Amino acid sequence: MKFVLHAAALNCDDSSLALIDRLIDRIADEVHRVDVPDADLVVASRWYQNARTTRQKLLLSALAVPPRKALDVPGPHTKSIEVDSPESVHLAEKMAHTPLVVLVEDREADGVLLEIVVDELGSPSLRALWARAKEVTPRAVEITTAGGVGAIPGRVDRAAKDAEGEGRPIRLFVLFDSDCKWPGDAEVTTSSEAVRQACDRHLISYHMWKKRCSENYIPDQVFEAARADPFNTSHVDRFDALLRRTPTQRDHFPVKDGLSKEERFRACQAGLYDDSEEEDLAVLEKPLFPKRPRPLQRLQAERRDSFTAAGLRERDGEGELDALLAAISREL
């Protein structure tokens, strides 16, 4: 986030100047940026005349950083807050110390994939901020779980109520599964629509996975590496059967649980599979991995090197992961 600090704010009352001190200290954490349109007036301002030398230097050095170009690769610090009055100083100080909460349906799945995607596909500025965000207090970014899609609307409403009580805008981004078992699956629209409505009600940005869930973005190279592990010798036929599926089938395959007979029957009726695939589909009734740890957790720990930018983009196929990072970056 960028705070545009005007000369009027730098000449406010003493309580506002004390809050500017806190704002400058947070800028020093390198998770936000500051801009002063009237930079030539800084040294003569009340704030500068009363500030510690270390804070004076912090502000002057921050002003020396070139402004971020609005049209370059999407990244953080494009959202700005004008700081030009005592009221806006109070708001700026609150916002600077309020983390962006990324509310995910499942921390052990969506949260793990998001961390990998940021690391592999994020812009340099996003990766730097993401790493720094975990080191400062309070954190600049927090990933938290809702514990299921049904719990997300309530969590969104509570977050909005908390923000209102603190007199600040809400800082929240929501990420959740589509849960589509096949293209055009209409049975899951009720839960996802409730999430969308809650986010729209509070003007919160969100992203619903276009594929079934986060596990459907696991690149082929990761499954190939798992297949080559001697410990998975008895499961090679399952990995082979999965990798033979078409991209659309892979987008909707239940990686965590395996393909049950009931779902297979209904997916065939929906046109996702056909009778010629019966042998492979029978093999895929059994899950590829044990229940714990969850697939993405296990693969992050054991096969992290196999998650590459090229592999993620190939499995994505639509530029969705880059669009997700751009949307999150706009909130930072």
Short mmCIF file of all heavy atoms in Angstrom, two decimals, residues 125-173:
data_model
loop_
_atom_site.label_atom_id
_atom_site.label_comp_id
_atom_site.label_asym_id
_atom_site.label_seq_id
_atom_site.Cartn_x
_atom_site.Cartn_y
_atom_site.Cartn_z
N SER A 125 8.59 -7.76 -6.96
CA SER A 125 8.11 -6.92 -5.86
C SER A 125 7.13 -7.68 -4.98
O SER A 125 7.13 -7.52 -3.75
CB SER A 125 7.46 -5.64 -6.40
OG SER A 125 6.43 -5.95 -7.32
N LEU A 126 6.29 -8.52 -5.57
CA LEU A 126 5.36 -9.30 -4.76
C LEU A 126 6.10 -10.34 -3.93
O LEU A 126 5.81 -10.52 -2.75
CB LEU A 126 4.32 -9.98 -5.66
CG LEU A 126 3.33 -10.92 -4.94
CD1 LEU A 126 2.55 -10.16 -3.87
CD2 LEU A 126 2.39 -11.60 -5.93
N ARG A 127 7.05 -11.03 -4.53
CA ARG A 127 7.80 -12.05 -3.78
C ARG A 127 8.56 -11.42 -2.61
O ARG A 127 8.60 -11.98 -1.52
CB ARG A 127 8.78 -12.77 -4.71
CG ARG A 127 8.11 -13.64 -5.75
CD ARG A 127 9.07 -14.68 -6.31
NE ARG A 127 10.30 -14.08 -6.82
CZ ARG A 127 10.48 -13.66 -8.06
NH1 ARG A 127 9.48 -13.75 -8.94
NH2 ARG A 127 11.64 -13.15 -8.45
N ALA A 128 9.14 -10.25 -2.86
CA ALA A 128 9.89 -9.58 -1.79
C ALA A 128 8.96 -9.18 -0.65
O ALA A 128 9.27 -9.38 0.53
CB ALA A 128 10.61 -8.36 -2.34
N LEU A 129 7.80 -8.61 -0.99
CA LEU A 129 6.85 -8.20 0.04
C LEU A 129 6.29 -9.42 0.77
O LEU A 129 6.15 -9.42 1.99
CB LEU A 129 5.72 -7.39 -0.58
CG LEU A 129 4.56 -7.01 0.36
CD1 LEU A 129 5.08 -6.28 1.60
CD2 LEU A 129 3.53 -6.17 -0.37
N TRP A 130 6.00 -10.47 0.04
CA TRP A 130 5.42 -11.69 0.64
C TRP A 130 6.37 -12.27 1.69
O TRP A 130 5.95 -12.69 2.76
CB TRP A 130 5.14 -12.71 -0.45
CG TRP A 130 4.09 -13.72 -0.10
CD1 TRP A 130 4.30 -14.97 0.38
CD2 TRP A 130 2.67 -13.57 -0.23
NE1 TRP A 130 3.10 -15.62 0.56
CE2 TRP A 130 2.08 -14.79 0.19
CE3 TRP A 130 1.85 -12.53 -0.67
CZ2 TRP A 130 0.70 -14.99 0.19
CZ3 TRP A 130 0.48 -12.74 -0.67
CH2 TRP A 130 -0.08 -13.94 -0.24
N ALA A 131 7.67 -12.29 1.35
CA ALA A 131 8.66 -12.81 2.30
C ALA A 131 8.80 -11.88 3.49
O ALA A 131 8.86 -12.33 4.65
CB ALA A 131 10.00 -12.99 1.60
N ARG A 132 8.85 -10.59 3.23
CA ARG A 132 9.01 -9.60 4.30
C ARG A 132 7.78 -9.59 5.22
O ARG A 132 7.91 -9.39 6.43
CB ARG A 132 9.22 -8.22 3.70
CG ARG A 132 9.50 -7.11 4.70
CD ARG A 132 10.79 -7.33 5.43
NE ARG A 132 11.05 -6.25 6.39
CZ ARG A 132 11.80 -6.39 7.46
NH1 ARG A 132 12.39 -7.56 7.71
NH2 ARG A 132 12.00 -5.38 8.28
N ALA A 133 6.61 -9.83 4.64
CA ALA A 133 5.37 -9.78 5.40
C ALA A 133 5.34 -10.76 6.54
O ALA A 133 4.66 -10.56 7.55
CB ALA A 133 4.18 -10.03 4.47
N LYS A 134 6.09 -11.86 6.41
CA LYS A 134 6.11 -12.89 7.45
C LYS A 134 7.09 -12.57 8.57
O LYS A 134 7.06 -13.21 9.62
CB LYS A 134 6.49 -14.24 6.83
CG LYS A 134 5.58 -14.69 5.71
CD LYS A 134 6.14 -15.92 5.03
CE LYS A 134 5.33 -16.33 3.82
NZ LYS A 134 5.93 -17.49 3.11
N GLU A 135 7.96 -11.60 8.34
CA GLU A 135 9.03 -11.31 9.29
C GLU A 135 8.69 -10.16 10.24
O GLU A 135 9.28 -10.05 11.31
CB GLU A 135 10.31 -10.96 8.54
CG GLU A 135 10.80 -12.07 7.61
CD GLU A 135 11.93 -11.63 6.70
OE1 GLU A 135 12.25 -10.42 6.69
OE2 GLU A 135 12.50 -12.48 6.00
N VAL A 136 7.76 -9.29 9.84
CA VAL A 136 7.49 -8.08 10.62
C VAL A 136 6.34 -8.34 11.59
O VAL A 136 5.59 -9.30 11.47
CB VAL A 136 7.15 -6.90 9.70
CG1 VAL A 136 8.33 -6.57 8.81
CG2 VAL A 136 5.91 -7.19 8.86
N THR A 137 6.21 -7.45 12.57
CA THR A 137 5.13 -7.50 13.54
C THR A 137 4.42 -6.16 13.57
O THR A 137 5.06 -5.14 13.82
CB THR A 137 5.67 -7.83 14.95
OG1 THR A 137 6.39 -9.07 14.90
CG2 THR A 137 4.53 -7.96 15.94
N PRO A 138 3.10 -6.13 13.34
CA PRO A 138 2.26 -7.26 12.91
C PRO A 138 2.57 -7.66 11.48
O PRO A 138 3.11 -6.87 10.70
CB PRO A 138 0.84 -6.69 13.03
CG PRO A 138 1.01 -5.22 12.80
CD PRO A 138 2.32 -4.87 13.44
N ARG A 139 2.23 -8.87 11.14
CA ARG A 139 2.46 -9.34 9.78
C ARG A 139 1.68 -8.48 8.78
O ARG A 139 0.60 -7.98 9.10
CB ARG A 139 2.04 -10.80 9.63
CG ARG A 139 2.96 -11.76 10.40
CD ARG A 139 2.65 -13.19 10.05
NE ARG A 139 3.64 -14.10 10.62
CZ ARG A 139 3.73 -15.38 10.31
NH1 ARG A 139 2.88 -15.90 9.43
NH2 ARG A 139 4.65 -16.15 10.85
N ALA A 140 2.23 -8.37 7.58
CA ALA A 140 1.56 -7.57 6.56
C ALA A 140 0.56 -8.40 5.76
O ALA A 140 -0.36 -7.85 5.16
CB ALA A 140 2.60 -6.96 5.61
N VAL A 141 0.77 -9.71 5.75
CA VAL A 141 -0.15 -10.62 5.06
C VAL A 141 -0.37 -11.83 5.96
O VAL A 141 0.58 -12.36 6.53
CB VAL A 141 0.41 -11.09 3.70
CG1 VAL A 141 -0.56 -12.07 3.04
CG2 VAL A 141 0.66 -9.92 2.77
N GLU A 142 -1.61 -12.24 6.09
CA GLU A 142 -1.94 -13.44 6.86
C GLU A 142 -2.85 -14.34 6.02
O GLU A 142 -3.83 -13.86 5.45
CB GLU A 142 -2.66 -13.08 8.17
CG GLU A 142 -1.80 -12.34 9.18
CD GLU A 142 -2.56 -12.03 10.47
OE1 GLU A 142 -3.76 -12.42 10.54
OE2 GLU A 142 -1.98 -11.42 11.37
N ILE A 143 -2.50 -15.61 5.96
CA ILE A 143 -3.38 -16.59 5.31
C ILE A 143 -4.10 -17.34 6.41
O ILE A 143 -3.46 -17.95 7.27
CB ILE A 143 -2.58 -17.56 4.42
CG1 ILE A 143 -1.83 -16.80 3.32
CG2 ILE A 143 -3.53 -18.58 3.78
CD1 ILE A 143 -0.97 -17.69 2.44
N THR A 144 -5.40 -17.30 6.39
CA THR A 144 -6.18 -17.98 7.42
C THR A 144 -7.28 -18.80 6.77
O THR A 144 -7.73 -18.50 5.67
CB THR A 144 -6.78 -16.97 8.41
OG1 THR A 144 -7.41 -17.65 9.49
CG2 THR A 144 -7.80 -16.07 7.73
N THR A 145 -7.68 -19.86 7.44
CA THR A 145 -8.67 -20.77 6.86
C THR A 145 -10.06 -20.52 7.42
O THR A 145 -10.21 -20.15 8.59
CB THR A 145 -8.28 -22.24 7.10
OG1 THR A 145 -9.24 -23.09 6.48
CG2 THR A 145 -8.21 -22.55 8.59
N ALA A 146 -11.05 -20.71 6.56
CA ALA A 146 -12.43 -20.59 7.00
C ALA A 146 -12.96 -21.93 7.50
O ALA A 146 -13.97 -21.98 8.18
CB ALA A 146 -13.30 -20.10 5.85
N GLY A 147 -12.27 -23.03 7.14
CA GLY A 147 -12.72 -24.35 7.55
C GLY A 147 -13.88 -24.86 6.72
O GLY A 147 -14.75 -25.57 7.22
N GLY A 148 -13.89 -24.51 5.44
CA GLY A 148 -14.94 -24.98 4.54
C GLY A 148 -15.67 -23.83 3.89
O GLY A 148 -15.78 -22.74 4.46
N VAL A 149 -16.20 -24.09 2.69
CA VAL A 149 -16.85 -23.01 1.94
C VAL A 149 -18.09 -22.49 2.65
O VAL A 149 -18.41 -21.29 2.57
CB VAL A 149 -17.19 -23.50 0.51
CG1 VAL A 149 -18.27 -24.58 0.54
CG2 VAL A 149 -17.60 -22.35 -0.39
N GLY A 150 -18.78 -23.36 3.37
CA GLY A 150 -19.99 -22.93 4.06
C GLY A 150 -19.74 -21.92 5.16
O GLY A 150 -20.64 -21.17 5.54
N ALA A 151 -18.51 -21.91 5.69
CA ALA A 151 -18.19 -20.99 6.78
C ALA A 151 -17.71 -19.63 6.29
O ALA A 151 -17.60 -18.69 7.08
CB ALA A 151 -17.12 -21.61 7.68
N ILE A 152 -17.42 -19.52 5.00
CA ILE A 152 -16.83 -18.28 4.49
C ILE A 152 -17.75 -17.07 4.62
O ILE A 152 -17.31 -16.01 5.08
CB ILE A 152 -16.36 -18.46 3.03
CG1 ILE A 152 -15.19 -19.44 2.99
CG2 ILE A 152 -15.94 -17.12 2.43
CD1 ILE A 152 -14.67 -19.71 1.58
N PRO A 153 -19.04 -17.14 4.24
CA PRO A 153 -19.89 -15.95 4.36
C PRO A 153 -19.93 -15.37 5.77
O PRO A 153 -19.85 -14.14 5.95
CB PRO A 153 -21.27 -16.45 3.91
CG PRO A 153 -20.96 -17.57 2.97
CD PRO A 153 -19.76 -18.25 3.57
N GLY A 154 -20.02 -16.24 6.78
CA GLY A 154 -20.03 -15.76 8.16
C GLY A 154 -18.73 -15.10 8.54
O GLY A 154 -18.72 -14.07 9.24
N ARG A 155 -17.61 -15.67 8.09
CA ARG A 155 -16.31 -15.08 8.39
C ARG A 155 -16.17 -13.71 7.71
O ARG A 155 -15.59 -12.79 8.27
CB ARG A 155 -15.19 -16.02 7.92
CG ARG A 155 -15.05 -17.29 8.74
CD ARG A 155 -14.47 -17.00 10.12
NE ARG A 155 -13.15 -16.44 10.02
CZ ARG A 155 -12.02 -17.15 9.97
NH1 ARG A 155 -12.09 -18.47 9.97
NH2 ARG A 155 -10.85 -16.55 9.91
N VAL A 156 -16.68 -13.61 6.51
CA VAL A 156 -16.63 -12.33 5.79
C VAL A 156 -17.45 -11.28 6.53
O VAL A 156 -16.99 -10.14 6.73
CB VAL A 156 -17.15 -12.50 4.34
CG1 VAL A 156 -17.37 -11.14 3.68
CG2 VAL A 156 -16.18 -13.33 3.52
N ASP A 157 -18.64 -11.65 6.96
CA ASP A 157 -19.49 -10.70 7.69
C ASP A 157 -18.83 -10.25 8.99
O ASP A 157 -18.88 -9.07 9.35
CB ASP A 157 -20.86 -11.33 7.99
CG ASP A 157 -21.73 -11.47 6.76
OD1 ASP A 157 -21.50 -10.74 5.77
OD2 ASP A 157 -22.66 -12.32 6.78
N ARG A 158 -18.20 -11.18 9.70
CA ARG A 158 -17.53 -10.83 10.96
C ARG A 158 -16.34 -9.90 10.71
O ARG A 158 -16.10 -8.96 11.46
CB ARG A 158 -17.08 -12.08 11.70
CG ARG A 158 -18.21 -12.86 12.33
CD ARG A 158 -17.71 -13.82 13.41
NE ARG A 158 -16.81 -14.81 12.88
CZ ARG A 158 -17.20 -15.95 12.33
NH1 ARG A 158 -18.48 -16.23 12.20
NH2 ARG A 158 -16.31 -16.83 11.90
N ALA A 159 -15.59 -10.18 9.65
CA ALA A 159 -14.44 -9.33 9.33
C ALA A 159 -14.89 -7.92 8.98
O ALA A 159 -14.25 -6.94 9.36
CB ALA A 159 -13.66 -9.94 8.16
N ALA A 160 -16.00 -7.81 8.28
CA ALA A 160 -16.53 -6.50 7.93
C ALA A 160 -17.01 -5.76 9.18
O ALA A 160 -16.79 -4.54 9.32
CB ALA A 160 -17.68 -6.65 6.94
N LYS A 161 -17.62 -6.49 10.09
CA LYS A 161 -18.09 -5.87 11.35
C LYS A 161 -16.91 -5.40 12.18
O LYS A 161 -16.94 -4.31 12.77
CB LYS A 161 -18.94 -6.87 12.12
CG LYS A 161 -19.56 -6.29 13.39
CD LYS A 161 -20.47 -7.31 14.06
CE LYS A 161 -21.11 -6.73 15.32
NZ LYS A 161 -22.00 -7.72 15.98
N ASP A 162 -15.86 -6.21 12.25
CA ASP A 162 -14.66 -5.82 13.00
C ASP A 162 -14.03 -4.56 12.42
O ASP A 162 -13.61 -3.67 13.16
CB ASP A 162 -13.64 -6.96 12.99
CG ASP A 162 -14.08 -8.15 13.82
OD1 ASP A 162 -15.02 -8.00 14.63
OD2 ASP A 162 -13.50 -9.24 13.64
N ALA A 163 -13.94 -4.50 11.09
CA ALA A 163 -13.35 -3.33 10.44
C ALA A 163 -14.18 -2.08 10.72
O ALA A 163 -13.63 -1.01 11.00
CB ALA A 163 -13.24 -3.57 8.93
N GLU A 164 -15.49 -2.24 10.68
CA GLU A 164 -16.37 -1.10 10.96
C GLU A 164 -16.17 -0.62 12.40
O GLU A 164 -16.12 0.58 12.67
CB GLU A 164 -17.82 -1.50 10.73
CG GLU A 164 -18.81 -0.36 10.95
CD GLU A 164 -20.25 -0.78 10.72
OE1 GLU A 164 -20.50 -2.00 10.52
OE2 GLU A 164 -21.13 0.10 10.74
N GLY A 165 -16.04 -1.57 13.32
CA GLY A 165 -15.83 -1.21 14.73
C GLY A 165 -14.52 -0.49 14.96
O GLY A 165 -14.40 0.32 15.88
N GLU A 166 -13.52 -0.79 14.12
CA GLU A 166 -12.22 -0.15 14.24
C GLU A 166 -12.11 1.12 13.40
O GLU A 166 -11.06 1.77 13.39
CB GLU A 166 -11.12 -1.13 13.84
CG GLU A 166 -11.02 -2.33 14.78
CD GLU A 166 -10.04 -3.38 14.26
OE1 GLU A 166 -9.28 -3.07 13.32
OE2 GLU A 166 -10.02 -4.50 14.81
N GLY A 167 -13.18 1.44 12.69
CA GLY A 167 -13.20 2.66 11.90
C GLY A 167 -12.25 2.65 10.72
O GLY A 167 -11.59 3.66 10.44
N ARG A 168 -12.17 1.53 10.01
CA ARG A 168 -11.27 1.41 8.86
C ARG A 168 -11.91 0.53 7.81
O ARG A 168 -12.83 -0.25 8.08
CB ARG A 168 -9.94 0.79 9.29
CG ARG A 168 -10.10 -0.59 9.90
CD ARG A 168 -8.81 -1.35 10.02
NE ARG A 168 -8.99 -2.64 10.67
CZ ARG A 168 -9.43 -3.73 10.08
NH1 ARG A 168 -9.75 -3.69 8.78
NH2 ARG A 168 -9.57 -4.87 10.73
N PRO A 169 -11.44 0.63 6.56
CA PRO A 169 -11.92 -0.29 5.52
C PRO A 169 -11.47 -1.71 5.83
O PRO A 169 -10.44 -1.93 6.49
CB PRO A 169 -11.25 0.23 4.24
CG PRO A 169 -10.87 1.65 4.55
CD PRO A 169 -10.56 1.67 6.01
N ILE A 170 -12.21 -2.67 5.34
CA ILE A 170 -11.84 -4.07 5.52
C ILE A 170 -10.65 -4.42 4.64
O ILE A 170 -10.53 -3.92 3.53
CB ILE A 170 -13.05 -4.98 5.20
CG1 ILE A 170 -12.75 -6.43 5.60
CG2 ILE A 170 -13.45 -4.87 3.74
CD1 ILE A 170 -13.98 -7.33 5.52
N ARG A 171 -9.74 -5.24 5.17
CA ARG A 171 -8.59 -5.72 4.38
C ARG A 171 -8.69 -7.24 4.31
O ARG A 171 -8.23 -7.96 5.19
CB ARG A 171 -7.26 -5.31 5.02
CG ARG A 171 -7.03 -3.81 5.06
CD ARG A 171 -5.55 -3.49 5.07
NE ARG A 171 -4.95 -3.79 3.76
CZ ARG A 171 -3.66 -4.08 3.58
NH1 ARG A 171 -2.84 -4.15 4.62
NH2 ARG A 171 -3.19 -4.32 2.36
N LEU A 172 -9.34 -7.71 3.25
CA LEU A 172 -9.63 -9.13 3.13
C LEU A 172 -9.67 -9.51 1.66
O LEU A 172 -10.16 -8.75 0.82
CB LEU A 172 -10.99 -9.44 3.78
CG LEU A 172 -11.41 -10.90 3.90
CD1 LEU A 172 -10.50 -11.66 4.85
CD2 LEU A 172 -12.86 -11.00 4.37
N PHE A 173 -9.13 -10.69 1.37
CA PHE A 173 -9.23 -11.29 0.04
C PHE A 173 -9.66 -12.73 0.25
O PHE A 173 -9.11 -13.42 1.12
CB PHE A 173 -7.89 -11.23 -0.70
CG PHE A 173 -7.96 -11.70 -2.13
CD1 PHE A 173 -8.16 -10.79 -3.15
CD2 PHE A 173 -7.85 -13.04 -2.45
CE1 PHE A 173 -8.24 -11.20 -4.48
CE2 PHE A 173 -7.93 -13.48 -3.76
CZ PHE A 173 -8.13 -12.55 -4.78
#
